[in-house]
């Protein structure tokens, strides 16, 4: 009702003055067909190259998401630990988990929500997403941007 209309008008004024910043999470990429966190964990745990039995995969849901990810990383570390020192195995397990996450989070088309958000007059966007779909949407909107801390000219990648 009225409160929502007033909040929308206030937000529009902030955007008009180019004082708007966006904070985006994984949910913004769901419209592109990417999984939510629980779906991602299930997909990772169910991979043939992850050493977990079906009953262990089923038991994962009793843990919170960060613990589920830690279990997956530990399993990958123990599987890659043959003849490798503990620190090396843990590092190798972490890298393998990161590779699997990137594989599971690959999509080529950004969502309608990402396209609409990319068209807003914003001065900053903060995201924790592994995918680069919002950056793709920004390119589509012909917006110049930088991704930090890893790149200075992400619009060139």
């Amino acid at each position: 009702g009225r409160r929502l209309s007033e909040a929308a008008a206030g937000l529009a004024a902030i955007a008009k003055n180019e004082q708007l910043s966006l904070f985006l999470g994984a949910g913004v990429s769901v419209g592109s067909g990417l999984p939510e966190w629980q779906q991602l964990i299930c997909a990772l745990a169910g991979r043939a190259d992850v050493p977990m039995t079906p009953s262990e995969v089923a038991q994962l849901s009793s843990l919170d998401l960060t613990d589920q990810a830690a279990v997956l990383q530990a399993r990958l570390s123990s599987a890659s630990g043959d003849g490798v020192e503990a620190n090396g195995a843990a590092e190798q397990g972490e890298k393998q988990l990161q590779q699997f996450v990137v594989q599971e989070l690959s999509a080529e088309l950004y969502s309608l929500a990402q396209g609409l958000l990319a068209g807003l007059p914003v001065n900053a966007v903060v995201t924790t997403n592994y995918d680069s779909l919002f950056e793709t949407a920004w390119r589509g909107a012909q917006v110049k941007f930088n991704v930090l801390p890893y790149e200075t000219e992400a619009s060139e990648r």
Side-chain angles (χ1 to χ4, degrees), residues 12-104:
I14 291 169
K16 184 177 179 183
N17 292 327
E18 296 185 15
Q19 297 175 328
L20 184 64
S21 296
L22 301 177
F23 294 85
L24 306 177
V28 76
S29 297
V30 171
S32 299
L34 297 184
E36 294 177 349
W37 277 111
Q38 187 61 59
Q39 294 167 322
L40 174 62
I41 294 289
C42 289
L44 292 169
R47 290 176 61 114
D49 43 6
V50 174
M52 294 187 73
T53 67
S55 65
E56 291 171 326
V57 172
Q59 290 175 8
L60 274 179
S61 64
S62 67
L63 303 173
D64 69 32
L65 291 173
T66 51
D67 288 342
Q68 290 178 41
V71 168
L72 289 173
Q73 181 179 336
R75 285 305 176 99
L76 290 168
S77 297
S78 66
S80 59
D82 299 333
V84 180
E85 68 178 70
N87 287 343
E91 193 173 296
Q92 196 170 4
E94 182 178 345
K95 285 182 182 179
Q96 193 172 18
L97 180 59
Q98 289 172 353
Q99 289 172 346
F100 292 166
V101 167
V102 169
Q103 289 169 5
E104 294 291 331

Side-chain angles (χ1 to χ4, degrees), residues 15-16 18 20 22 24 28 110-123 125 133-145:
K16 184 177 179 183
E18 296 185 15
L20 184 64
L22 301 177
L24 306 177
V28 76
Y110 56 86
S111 69
L112 175 62
Q114 290 165 322
L116 292 172
L117 290 170
L120 290 174
V122 298
N123 58 18
V125 176
L133 293 172
F134 186 76
E135 289 93 330
T136 302
W138 251 358
R139 276 189 216 91
Q142 299 179 341
V143 174
K144 289 193 179 276
F145 61 93

